[in-house]
Amino acid sequence: MESRRAAPGPPSQGSAVGAGSAAELVYHLAGALGTELQELARRFGPNAAAGLVPLVVRALELLEKAAVGPAPDSVSHWLLLLPRTASRP
């Protein structure tokens, strides 16, 4: 039976917890998953992980959005910045 490699720890384990560190963890996770998917493709052929790639990418995009918040140019961001009016003339 083949031994499993342990996933490497995040590069900044001693850093303070905050929005930046959450994003760093997501990016580190993306790199580790990419490495594992490449290894699967190398060992078992390119089709071995082909179905997983779009799912992993979407999950990482959602994690990134949760970690860093909405993009500054997103519509929802600008709507939150608009002043609220009680009534329109």
Side-chain angles (χ1 to χ4, degrees):
M1 179 177 267
E2 183 180 323
S3 64
R4 279 293 286 170
R5 289 178 295 160
S12 58
Q13 290 178 347
S15 66
V17 175
S21 63
E24 287 175 11
L25 288 173
V26 172
Y27 299 139
H28 176 74
L29 178 62
L33 285 169
T35 300
E36 291 298 321
L37 289 170
Q38 286 177 342
E39 179 64 15
L40 280 173
R42 185 191 68 75
R43 290 185 64 205
F44 302 107
N47 292 331
L52 286 174
V53 172
L55 299 172
V56 169
V57 168
R58 181 65 181 140
L60 289 169
E61 288 172 344
L62 292 171
L63 282 171
E64 178 186 33
K65 186 174 182 180
V68 298
D73 59 345
S74 72
V75 173
S76 60
H77 173 78
W78 290 108
L79 289 175
L80 290 174
L81 295 177
L82 292 174
R84 297 191 184 251
T85 57
S87 63
R88 291 184 175 237

